[in-house]
């Protein structure tokens, strides 16, 4: 089965850099594109760029549009595509753990990927202080005086 196409969209160059980080860990990725919303681009330019990018990816197994912040220009533009094109899933709030989970599961359906990314998002949020405190408590249990 073919992999879903992925388009990352963000304010500034976060999408490009997140993709580079994912590729550093996983290796080179195909059928992935990015769109950067920068101050010199107006809304029409971003819409046009996304439409052009969508023409370059293989969408035969669906397209996943990931944006950085709900309500920002990237997610709003992605939303216009989600509402008008079939077999497209839009998700906001992407982070590196989500991208890694996505890129190792791209052969799945969009619905399966949606479930995986929802779980990944929950699992990727940790409070380091709490984790370290628990570890210290566990170590104290095994300390012999």
């Amino acid at each position: 089965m073919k992999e879903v196409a992925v388009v990352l969209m963000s304010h500034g160059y976060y999408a490009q850099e997140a993709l580079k980080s994912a590729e550093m860990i996983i290796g080179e990725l195909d059928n992935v594109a990015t769109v950067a919303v920068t101050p010199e681009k107006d809304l029409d330019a971003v819409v046009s760029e996304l439409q052009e990018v969508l023409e370059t990816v293989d969408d035969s197994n669906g397209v996943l549009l990931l944006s950085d912040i709900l309500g920002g220009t990237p997610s709003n533009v992605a939303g216009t595509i989600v509402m008008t094109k079939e077999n497209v899933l839009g998700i906001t709030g992407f982070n590196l753990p989500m991208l890694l989970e996505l890129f190792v599961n791209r052969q799945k359906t969009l619905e399966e990927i949606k479930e995986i990314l929802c779980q990944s998002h929950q699992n990727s949020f940790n409070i380091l202080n709490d984790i370290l405190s628990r570890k210290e408590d566990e170590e104290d249990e095994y300390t012999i005086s």
Side-chain angles (χ1 to χ4, degrees):
M1 181 178 234
K2 289 184 177 182
E3 296 178 328
V4 298
V6 176
V7 178
L8 305 174
M9 300 181 64
S10 68
H11 292 86
Y13 298 99
Y14 172 60
Q16 286 91 328
E17 296 304 320
L19 177 58
K20 285 180 189 177
S21 294
E23 288 184 321
M24 185 173 76
I25 296 166
I26 293 177
E28 187 174 341
L29 298 162
D30 295 323
N31 208 23
V32 180
T34 61
V35 174
V37 175
T38 56
E40 66 274 359
K41 293 180 188 174
D42 64 13
L43 183 60
D44 290 335
V46 176
V47 171
S48 294
E49 184 177 348
L50 178 57
Q51 289 171 337
E52 289 172 17
V53 163
L54 289 172
E55 291 175 12
T56 68
V57 296
D58 177 0
D59 63 356
S60 58
N61 199 38
V63 177
L64 183 57
L65 295 177
L66 292 162
S67 60
D68 56 358
I69 301 170
L70 177 64
T73 299
S75 72
N76 291 342
V77 171
T80 65
I81 300 300
V82 168
M83 297 299 291
T84 59
K85 190 171 178 174
E86 290 187 34
N87 212 19
V88 176
L89 174 63
I91 296 180
T92 66
F94 76 87
N95 59 37
L96 189 55
M98 287 175 65
L99 289 183
L100 297 175
E101 197 67 46
L102 162 64
F103 289 133
V104 298
N105 286 289
R106 287 173 67 195
Q107 73 287 356
K108 298 186 183 302
T109 67
L110 284 176
E111 190 60 34
E112 291 170 321
I113 290 172
K114 177 178 141 183
E115 294 303 316
I116 289 167
L117 293 184
C118 285
Q119 187 63 47
S120 175
H121 188 267
Q122 287 180 324
N123 292 343
S124 68
F125 180 83
N126 294 288
I127 299 175
L128 191 53
N129 298 52
D130 293 346
I131 293 169
L132 294 173
S133 291
R134 281 194 304 260
K135 186 172 180 165
E136 277 183 6
D137 290 344
E138 288 170 6
E139 289 173 359
D140 288 345
E141 287 178 23
Y142 300 106
T143 304
I144 301 174
S145 306

